[in-house]
Amino acid sequence: MNLTRRLKNMLLAALILAACSAAAAVSLRLWRSAGYAEDYAAFESRVMSLEKEIISDKISSMISDIAYISYTFGIYAKLFGDEKYSKLEDNWKTYLAGKGCYYKLRYIDSAGKEKIKVNYSSKSGAYVSPLWELEDKSDRYYFNDAMQLKPNQYYISRFDLNAEKGECEQPCRLTVRVCSGVYDEYGAIAGIIVLSCDAEELLHEIGELARASAGETYLVSAKGNWVFRASRSGIQWGPKQSGGDEKPADFSAEFPEVWKDVSKAPEKPEGKITTDSGMFVYMSSPPYGVMKIGDGKTLVSPEGPMTLITFIPNDLKNGLVFGYNFANILEFAFGGKSVFFLIIISLALLTLVLSYIIYREKKKNWGYQFDALSTAYTRGAGYRKLEKLYSRHRRTKRSMCVCFIDINGLKRVNDTQGHEAGDRLIALGTRTAMRYMGPEDFIVRLGGDEFLLVFPGSDEPRVEEIWREISAEFEPAARDATGDDSVSVSHGIAAFTYGDGETVDKVIEAADERMYKEKRAKHLEQP
């Protein structure tokens, strides 16, 4: 095996080894990561189920409380007549102080005027707001929504910031309200009872549980706004992110493609989504838009359905990848794009160096294989090529002929006009022959003015026909170029029969003899 072939094999082996190593590294890591993804998704689903159960219990407790308060309101209205408000205030103070989880309880009439407002704080306890602190709430969305309630229906508001006298309460308080209707003797709604809860305290337990997640957990409304975002670093409250305005933090804007799939929760209430940045596990959660809560009662929510969503980002350093793109795979398999590109640059440099060495070797070998003047094969290279062809054709018995040629008068041209003129005559001869020879055919320079034309796949008549075309063009052109009318070319054709005892040398000798026979005949014809 020559040096050029060895270098080619080395280059090919290096490239194959690099490609196989990269493929193996990527495949192994992707296989391991796929198992991790399933484990993480299963764990997050279990945590979400617990969170969903807690939310459901919290809502059920709030509905039970507002139902009890609505019932006592009706009883007090019948028992105490005009004194009902003062009696209710005393009762509600006791109730809020005993519960400790609500900070405000109000009765608002059908015109939107607060008639009773009882407040509670851990520092001040329960107290009744004086008449001058009662406000008009007719412009509040929760009042107008709740005024549409029918008997046995309850309403839960959005999670938003509490406002007093038209301004956000300071410090900001995240609030959720449950409402029940108050009905007259004809069943028409005459006002609403509003029970306000500190949403941060309500959801704190869920937020703490969510912090066990490997990523970030969101509670998202049907409109795509997140109420809270919990991670190991802490809990953030969506409505507070905007400084108290009406636009809470927007999950749908941050992850639009994910939200497009998650918002189909009624059709698919839970699942997982993988993206280039990581994995999202989601599960629908109460409060839903409209939900049955037992005993023929219904809860109505403008936020519903809510959705719990956990986002676990790719952790490339620790081998955790959920979504794949080119950059992720490079980081994942090679430790970073810089390492990958360093490997590529190294392989490119190796390729350039080996290619240059191969080029030099080929250039050097060309001098061994081809004659620089005629561009024909050298004697040794031509014989090796012919021997290989003979071995191959002998098995298939494919036709093959050789044509031995000699340029008559070349020595006289060299002696009278110089070797440069002789060299031009040789080059003219091989160029002319190549124009008529096929793609498989080739020329071997045997030495001096003798050449061997090899015709794989051609028989003697066809080769004789080709030779006549070559000589018909070459001889006039050679005489014009040299000014010597004695310049001609002699030839002898021999075919391979693949018989016993036949060799390449014997067939070439036969062609040589026929060429000399023609050469002697031409010599005798000359004056």
Side-chain angles (χ1 to χ4, degrees), residues 201-479:
E201 291 188 14
L202 178 73
L203 300 175
H204 182 75
E205 184 179 352
I206 303 161
E208 288 297 323
L209 182 59
R211 292 179 66 182
S213 168
E216 293 182 323
T217 298
Y218 299 78
L219 179 62
V220 186
S221 73
K223 295 180 179 179
N225 302 320
W226 56 269
V227 176
F228 75 75
R229 177 170 62 190
S231 65
R232 292 175 182 175
S233 59
I235 304 173
Q236 294 175 293
W237 303 99
K240 289 186 174 183
Q241 301 302 302
S242 54
D245 65 19
E246 292 298 322
K247 294 182 179 179
D250 194 347
F251 180 91
S252 63
E254 188 175 355
F255 305 105
E257 293 302 317
V258 174
W259 181 247
K260 187 184 297 183
D261 290 335
V262 171
S263 59
K264 300 174 183 176
E267 302 170 14
K268 190 177 180 183
E270 60 182 277
K272 67 177 181 178
I273 299 167
T274 55
T275 69
D276 290 344
S277 55
M279 179 173 68
F280 294 80
V281 183
Y282 66 91
M283 182 179 293
S284 60
S285 168
Y288 304 106
V290 176
M291 57 183 290
K292 301 291 184 181
I293 52 177
D295 299 329
K297 297 176 182 178
T298 304
L299 178 64
V300 180
S301 167
E303 291 273 76
M306 304 289 284
T307 308
L308 287 161
I309 305 173
T310 295
F311 169 49
I312 308 174
N314 294 327
D315 186 357
L316 302 175
K317 291 183 179 178
N318 293 317
L320 187 64
V321 177
F322 302 106
Y324 303 101
N325 57 24
F326 184 66
N328 282 348
I329 290 176
L330 296 187
E331 183 79 18
F332 191 46
F334 301 100
K337 287 182 283 188
S338 58
V339 176
F340 172 78
F341 286 118
L342 182 62
I343 293 172
I344 291 298
I345 290 170
S346 299
L347 287 173
L349 289 174
L350 175 63
T351 303
L352 286 173
V353 170
L354 290 178
S355 297
Y356 178 72
I357 294 173
I358 291 170
Y359 165 75
R360 291 292 301 273
E361 285 296 315
K362 280 186 173 180
K363 189 174 181 181
K364 185 164 62 176
N365 288 338
W366 196 91
Y368 296 133
Q369 290 189 342
F370 297 96
D371 176 59
L373 174 61
S374 64
T375 69
Y377 279 95
T378 60
R379 184 185 186 94
Y383 262 74
R384 287 192 296 271
K385 183 177 177 76
L386 183 54
E387 289 282 1
K388 289 180 181 179
L389 277 174
Y390 179 74
S391 297
R392 193 185 313 150
H393 285 37
R394 188 179 183 86
R395 291 192 296 270
T396 61
K397 300 294 189 280
R398 187 187 183 202
S399 298
M400 184 166 66
C401 292
V402 293
C403 178
F404 201 112
I405 66 172
D406 181 270
I407 301 175
N408 303 317
L410 177 62
K411 183 177 184 304
R412 186 165 48 253
V413 171
N414 284 332
D415 292 342
T416 59
Q417 301 180 28
H419 285 279
E420 289 185 2
D423 291 344
R424 287 195 294 272
L425 184 59
I426 290 173
L428 175 63
T430 53
R431 284 200 308 272
T432 304
M434 286 177 182
R435 278 199 291 274
Y436 292 94
M437 297 175 73
E440 287 187 277
D441 306 338
F442 60 96
I443 304 174
V444 182
R445 186 176 185 184
L446 301 176
D449 55 1
E450 295 180 334
F451 293 85
L452 187 69
L453 311 187
V454 182
F455 297 89
S458 297
D459 56 16
E460 282 192 61
R462 174 58 185 154
V463 174
E464 187 65 48
E465 182 182 341
I466 294 171
W467 172 250
R468 283 197 295 271
E469 292 175 340
I470 294 171
S471 62
E473 180 180 331
F474 171 70
E475 289 187 348
R479 290 165 185 163

Side-chain angles (χ1 to χ4, degrees), residues 4-39:
T4 301
R5 185 171 297 178
R6 285 198 298 269
L7 290 172
K8 282 184 179 178
N9 291 341
M10 285 174 57
L11 177 58
L12 183 61
L15 293 175
I16 292 174
L17 180 62
C20 290
S21 299
V26 171
S27 299
L28 178 61
R29 293 205 171 198
L30 295 185
W31 175 74
R32 292 177 60 188
S33 184
Y36 292 152
E38 292 300 323
D39 292 342

Side-chain angles (χ1 to χ4, degrees), residues 66-128:
I66 194 69
Y68 170 77
I69 294 169
S70 297
Y71 173 76
T72 58
F73 185 93
I75 296 296
Y76 274 54
K78 291 178 181 179
L79 291 177
F80 300 107
D82 294 339
E83 297 181 2
K84 63 182 179 183
Y85 288 168
S86 61
K87 295 294 185 181
L88 279 169
E89 288 171 349
D90 292 338
N91 178 273
W92 286 5
K93 281 197 304 180
T94 303
Y95 191 84
L96 290 188
K99 283 289 184 177
C101 58
Y102 303 109
Y103 73 89
K104 191 185 300 181
L105 178 56
R106 293 169 289 167
Y107 169 62
I108 304 174
D109 68 14
S110 59
K113 307 292 185 182
E114 291 180 335
K115 294 298 183 179
I116 308 174
K117 180 158 66 175
V118 180
N119 309 281
Y120 173 81
S121 70
S122 57
K123 292 182 179 180
S124 305
Y127 62 95
V128 178

